[in-house]
Amino acid sequence: MLLSSYERMIARRYLLPGRGEAFIALVAGISLIAVMLGVAALVIVMSVMNGFRAELFDKIVGLNGHAVVQGYNGVLRDWRQVLDDARKTPGVTSATPLIEQPLFATLEGRSDFVLVRGMEVPDILGNPTIRDNVKAGSLTSLVPNSGTVAIGSRLAESLGASVGSDISIINPQGPATPFGTALRMVSYRVGAIVEVGVYDYDKAFVIMPMEDAQTLLMLGDGVNMVEINTNDADRVERILAPLADKVGARGRLVDWRQLNSQLFEALAVDRIVTFTVLSIIILVAVFNILSSLIMLVRAKTRDIAILRTMGASRASLLRIFMTVGTTVGALGVGAGLVLGFVFLHFRQSVVGFIGLVTGQNIWDPTVRFLTTLPSKVDPVEITAISVVALLLAFLATLYPALKAANTDPVQVLRYD
């Protein structure tokens, strides 16, 4: 919107009303603050929700793959053939054998449920979700048949374990005896403590070489599943369709959507609802811009009439008042983006401060899954928020600007 020099001068004067118009300035300031808070709230919440989904996806898929072939009755005997078929499938980037079994662990009178995960040592060392999150010890200590394991950080806290501690893992499905099935208890030394960032895993993980897991669970040469990664997680069903036909007689193919469908669907619905609710804040701010412009037009009716008699056109007045309202909206959007990015940068400190003031743990990992507040800024989403806010602010200027442009100078100045 191109303005002439006198139109810019008048718009600037109306953006900063005089002493007698302090109330109009106050309403305009409130409008700016409301737009700022609305935009900041949307930026913060949507970025946090994007980060939450991305972190969950990275952690869960990083540990469980894009899909798994699960053996019927929990055991996959012919897993080497499944592994070979998976690796030959176009679009598959990796396939690894995996053992997972919920069991029970004890240490010096303390006990907790655990999730035993058996992997081949190269796969353990090559998994970035595990490899890059070692808090103590070393994964190189995990050697087949050495009796050494890695455990989650929260499980270490629960059991009071540290690197070098000996924990006992109990398998209720032990050897058969004349008196029934006996418990199988095996002692392992803690060689490393890992923290992947997902509470449920950090609270239960016991990672060991696959050979040790096979011995503990008495699986012989079998495994529970084969974990598969592809070059496109969103197309995993299409990529693995040929493999599903091949392994149908040996096991069941399940992708990450099926494994975590309820969680990710809930996140998607929550994201839409949150965006809709927070958009109302911007809508309220837009009504504030509308009301402040209406009051400004009423206060400046005589000035508008004089401008008309001096030759100002209706289009000129229209541009002036549309510029005033749009400028307030643009300043609010800019301030909101700055506030949102500052909050996101210091988000963990803000969470800690709020918890300190309120005395409540507002980010409890037992409820939130992740141990820290995540964030992921989506440029497309930020642009959409800004454009929508600016568009609403622009639309709010139309009625008062038209009202000003249609002012009849004869009627206003008749008795002056």
Side-chain angles (χ1 to χ4, degrees):
M1 187 185 300
L2 297 177
L3 301 179
S4 64
S5 58
Y6 93 90
E7 288 172 348
R8 286 196 298 270
M9 179 193 69
I10 296 172
R12 189 163 52 247
R13 290 282 300 274
Y14 286 174
L15 277 169
L16 300 170
R19 290 183 179 179
E21 297 152 350
F23 183 71
I24 297 175
L26 176 63
V27 174
I30 292 173
S31 303
L32 189 152
I33 293 173
V35 173
M36 177 187 71
L37 293 177
V39 170
L42 270 175
V43 168
I44 293 167
V45 173
M46 299 308 294
S47 296
V48 168
M49 295 193 72
N50 287 339
F52 193 80
R53 185 187 185 281
E55 283 288 318
L56 273 181
F57 181 83
D58 290 344
K59 302 293 187 184
I60 292 174
V61 172
L63 291 170
N64 297 317
H66 294 164
V68 294
V69 178
Q70 297 174 331
Y72 296 121
N73 298 321
V75 182
L76 190 64
R77 297 293 180 188
D78 194 12
W79 61 271
R80 287 184 176 82
Q81 183 61 49
V82 174
L83 204 65
D84 186 56
D85 291 339
R87 288 171 176 170
K88 290 179 180 177
T89 303
V92 172
T93 57
S94 67
T96 57
L98 187 67
I99 297 173
E100 272 194 357
Q101 183 68 39
L103 296 175
F104 201 67
T106 65
L107 172 62
E108 297 178 354
R110 298 185 181 185
S111 58
D112 210 338
F113 291 100
V114 298
L115 181 65
V116 171
R117 167 174 282 227
M119 303 171 65
E120 292 184 319
V121 172
D123 294 332
I124 296 175
L125 299 177
N127 189 312
T129 305
I130 300 173
R131 179 193 64 215
D132 299 339
N133 292 288
V134 177
K135 297 301 178 182
S138 174
L139 294 177
T140 57
S141 62
L142 274 63
V143 178
N145 303 313
S146 66
T148 305
V149 299
I151 66 175
S153 58
R154 303 284 178 170
L155 177 62
E157 292 176 7
S158 174
L159 295 178
S162 59
V163 174
S165 298
D166 291 321
I167 63 172
S168 296
I169 298 180
I170 301 172
N171 177 12
Q173 300 299 320
T177 70
F179 302 99
T181 302
L183 294 177
R184 180 175 174 80
M185 180 181 294
V186 182
S187 179
Y188 295 93
R189 182 173 295 275
V190 176
I193 296 175
V194 299
E195 184 174 309
V196 299
V198 179
Y199 181 84
D200 287 358
Y201 291 131
D202 292 333
K203 184 69 170 63
F205 251 169
V206 174
I207 303 168
M208 63 176 63
M210 191 174 73
E211 295 83 352
D212 291 7
Q214 288 173 329
T215 301
L216 172 65
L217 299 173
M218 298 185 299
L219 293 176
D221 189 43
V223 299
N224 295 140
M225 64 191 80
V226 169
E227 176 188 285
I228 301 170
N229 284 300
T230 66
N231 55 16
D232 189 348
D234 293 325
R235 296 178 57 249
V236 63
E237 187 175 358
R238 184 179 302 176
I239 292 172
L240 296 181
L243 180 63
D245 297 332
K246 293 181 181 179
V247 303
R250 304 186 189 96
R252 176 170 172 259
L253 180 64
V254 185
D255 63 40
W256 66 270
R257 288 190 182 92
Q258 295 168 298
L259 289 170
N260 307 282
S261 59
Q262 292 182 337
L263 175 60
F264 285 102
E265 284 176 10
L267 286 175
V269 172
D270 191 37
R271 190 168 176 268
I272 295 171
V273 172
T274 302
F275 182 87
T276 304
V277 172
L278 290 178
S279 295
I280 296 175
I281 299 176
I282 297 179
L283 196 58
V284 171
V286 166
F287 279 112
N288 283 339
I289 294 175
L290 175 64
S291 61
S292 66
L293 280 179
I294 290 174
M295 287 189 291
L296 181 63
V297 170
R298 289 183 63 87
K300 298 295 184 180
T301 301
R302 188 171 181 277
D303 293 356
I304 294 169
I306 294 173
L307 288 172
R308 288 297 311 280
T309 60
M310 294 175 64
S313 64
R314 293 177 185 272
S316 180
L317 291 171
L318 194 68
R319 287 193 295 270
I320 289 171
F321 284 94
M322 288 174 66
T323 299
V324 171
T326 305
T327 301
V328 172
L331 291 173
V333 170
L337 292 176
V338 172
L339 178 62
F341 292 144
V342 169
F343 183 96
L344 290 174
H345 183 74
F346 296 103
R347 62 188 182 278
Q348 206 59 44
S349 300
V350 173
V351 169
F353 176 75
I354 295 174
L356 184 64
V357 171
T358 61
Q360 299 292 326
N361 184 6
I362 63 173
W363 190 262
D364 186 354
T366 62
V367 177
R368 310 290 184 181
F369 293 101
L370 302 179
T371 54
T372 58
L373 180 66
S375 171
K376 182 182 180 182
V377 176
D378 183 352
V380 174
E381 202 166 68
I382 298 300
T383 302
I385 291 171
S386 302
V387 170
V388 169
L390 287 173
L391 179 61
L392 290 175
F394 173 76
L395 293 176
T397 66
L398 294 180
Y399 174 75
L402 287 171
K403 192 75 173 174
N406 291 327
T407 299
D408 185 354
V410 175
Q411 293 294 329
V412 174
L413 301 175
R414 175 179 296 177
Y415 301 106
D416 286 0

